Amino acid sequence: MTDTTASSPAAGITAFPSVRAGHAMPSQAAVEAWVQAAWLMLAEGRAYIEDLEGGADQPQMQQAAKLRLLEQLLDIDHRLAGRQPVDDAHCLALALEYGMHEVMDATGPQLAAVFGLDEEFGGDTCRVDDIYVLWERLLDGFPGELPDRLVAEGQRDMLRTVQVWARLSREAGLDVGFLASSMKAA
């Protein structure tokens, strides 16, 4: 990844603005939404970032990965807002039309700039530096730990994190099984 710069369109985007403002949902709903958000960022989000990093010589693959990451972030945004996630076919259009308000405070045009949606799809290049800036802001702003499961100590940290989620879920009166389908998909 590259260094963050003040000139990046992502530099002015606030990560998780509702958390900072004290927005709260009922405890069971909040626990479920935040555990799902953590898992989706940890498993899916990191995978898309890895695809962007590993696909430097494959701009078309990077273009697909950055669109999927944007759609994934909208899915997380909806969960954190207490809304039902929408079908994947609608995520990009909704993100560009309405922006995001829970994962980040960003308008559709800001998202288009960060994700380089002005590029020709299928072209010979793919800009991803601004996505890395945004991703780092999201990791830094997340209210909890998101271990990297692909590094040696990340496996241990991942197991510890899942144990914390299970305990938190039980204390909120939930069965952590609500996360099983997401975990199987990863």
Side-chain angles (χ1 to χ4, degrees):
M1 288 197 272
T2 61
D3 293 336
T4 60
T5 63
S7 64
S8 169
I13 292 177
T14 302
F16 303 101
S18 292
V19 169
R20 296 171 188 272
H23 172 259
M25 292 189 280
S27 61
Q28 280 189 333
V31 168
E32 186 171 351
W34 280 103
V35 169
Q36 288 175 339
W39 175 258
L40 291 171
M41 287 190 65
L42 183 119
E44 308 264 342
R46 283 199 195 274
Y48 292 129
I49 293 298
E50 291 162 12
D51 288 347
L52 293 175
E53 292 171 344
D57 295 332
Q58 302 172 24
Q60 293 175 356
M61 187 274 298
Q62 282 183 312
Q63 289 171 345
K66 72 181 181 179
L67 289 176
R68 287 298 300 146
L69 176 61
L70 177 56
E71 292 169 340
Q72 185 68 54
L73 291 173
L74 182 76
D75 181 11
I76 296 168
D77 196 76
H78 280 227
R79 292 171 193 266
L80 292 178
R83 295 186 296 268
Q84 289 295 316
V86 297
D87 186 71
D88 284 352
H90 305 291
C91 287
L92 181 61
L94 286 172
L96 295 177
E97 181 68 24
Y98 299 109
M100 292 187 205
H101 306 286
E102 300 295 327
V103 170
M104 67 188 92
D105 187 19
T107 65
Q110 286 174 306
L111 293 170
V114 169
F115 284 85
L117 299 183
D118 60 332
E119 290 180 317
E120 176 187 353
F121 196 73
D124 293 336
T125 62
C126 182
R127 294 188 323 265
V128 295
D129 289 346
D130 293 328
I131 296 170
Y132 296 145
V133 172
L134 176 63
W135 182 250
E136 287 302 318
R137 292 181 65 80
L138 293 175
L139 291 178
D140 291 344
F142 193 83
E145 189 176 340
L146 295 172
D148 187 346
R149 67 194 201 310
L150 296 180
V151 297
E153 64 275 1
Q155 291 295 316
R156 180 190 68 233
D157 293 342
M158 178 67 187
L159 289 173
R160 191 174 309 131
T161 299
V162 171
Q163 289 172 339
V164 168
W165 294 345
R167 186 182 75 240
L168 182 62
S169 296
R170 279 191 306 276
E171 289 174 4
L174 293 169
D175 176 357
V176 79
F178 71 86
L179 195 55
S181 62
S182 296
M183 289 181 158
K184 287 178 186 176

